[in-house]
Amino acid sequence: MNIPNTLTAFRLVMIPFFCVFFVMGPQYYPYAGIVLVLSGLSDMFDGFLARKLNQETELGKILDPVADKLTLGAVVISMWFVYRRSYPWITLALGIMFVKELLMAIGGLVIVKKGRKLVKAKWWGKVATVVFYACMIAIVALNIFAPDAPLNILVPSIALFAAVIMLIAFGMYFRMGMKILRGEYVSGIIDFEQEKLMKKKEKKDTKKIS
């Protein structure tokens, strides 16, 4: 069994559960929070385990960013639907997050269409993802444990902080994407063909040794 891909698939399965629990109302927020925590943990560990267990696959490298974007989109849309009236300013922050992920997806398609190679997630992208999950979990937690507190400023501020960090990450990815389109070298290129050749060579070497 490929553990990293299983975790990624688990993250995809969790998306509708979060949406349903969150939209159903405050009494279901704890369940939505648990789902969000589990989703964030799976996102943190799938890539790490893929490298640690030598279970990196083509499917995983494609599925992981897809799961990330679908999860983020679902969380953002759900939060906007529930909080757009309670915290009007949160619409700005959530809109920034949604547009950022949409542009990232479009950029990836442009790069592939131009015949260029995509790159593995960089540290700044991982930081932005961790900040996103931490901020969204914090917002859910505040509405669970302090529903009567004055959160009109705090909740949008937390969301805006996550949006700013994600914008910074987008700017760095944008610069890197322009380098790729210009044909400049960028470290961490995902080259499936090269990886296939390397795996075939490893198998041949293993047979020779045995």
Side-chain angles (χ1 to χ4, degrees):
M1 184 180 71
N2 189 294
I3 296 175
N5 287 357
T6 302
L7 287 174
T8 304
F10 171 79
R11 193 156 76 253
L12 286 168
V13 171
M14 287 295 99
I15 292 173
F17 285 95
F18 172 82
C19 295
V20 171
F21 286 141
F22 197 72
V23 172
M24 284 178 69
Q27 66 270 33
Y28 292 94
Y29 283 177
Y31 303 110
I34 291 170
V35 170
L36 197 55
V37 169
L38 292 175
S39 181
L41 289 174
S42 73
D43 190 23
M44 287 175 60
F45 286 107
D46 59 0
F48 170 78
L49 290 174
R51 293 185 295 272
K52 195 74 173 177
L53 301 175
N54 194 27
Q55 291 186 339
E56 291 183 291
T57 64
E58 293 184 21
L59 175 62
K61 290 175 182 177
I62 294 171
L63 199 60
D64 183 56
V66 170
D68 288 345
K69 284 169 174 51
L70 289 178
T71 300
L72 188 145
V75 172
V76 164
I77 292 171
S78 298
M79 284 206 168
W80 176 81
F81 182 79
V82 173
Y83 291 150
R84 68 188 188 281
R85 293 189 179 91
S86 302
Y87 313 117
W89 281 102
I90 204 172
T91 298
L92 173 63
L94 296 176
I96 291 172
M97 296 179 199
F98 187 83
V99 171
K100 177 262 182 186
E101 288 302 312
L102 182 62
L103 291 176
M104 288 282 293
I106 293 172
L109 291 174
V110 170
I111 288 172
V112 171
K113 191 173 181 180
K114 294 287 185 180
R116 307 294 186 183
K117 303 290 185 181
L118 295 172
V119 297
K120 297 177 182 178
K122 299 296 183 179
W123 67 266
W124 56 80
K126 294 176 182 178
V127 168
T129 299
V130 170
V131 169
F132 168 78
Y133 273 108
C135 289
M136 297 303 103
I137 291 169
I139 289 172
V140 174
L142 283 170
N143 281 274
I144 293 173
F145 298 110
D148 298 323
L151 302 176
N152 291 340
I153 295 176
L154 183 58
V155 166
S157 296
I158 292 172
L160 188 59
F161 173 74
V164 169
I165 298 299
M166 292 175 71
L167 269 183
I168 293 171
F170 172 74
M172 299 177 79
Y173 274 124
F174 179 79
R175 288 178 59 191
M176 190 172 63
M178 293 305 294
K179 286 183 179 180
I180 293 172
L181 290 175
R182 289 195 297 264
E184 299 178 21
Y185 172 76
V186 174
S187 62
I189 290 290
I190 300 175
D191 193 334
F192 294 133
E193 296 301 321
Q194 183 64 28
E195 289 177 7
K196 284 181 181 178
L197 292 174
M198 289 179 66
K199 286 180 181 179
K200 286 181 181 179
K201 185 177 182 301
E202 287 174 3
K203 287 181 180 179
K204 288 180 181 178
D205 292 342
T206 303
K207 289 180 179 178
K208 286 180 181 178
I209 293 172
S210 59

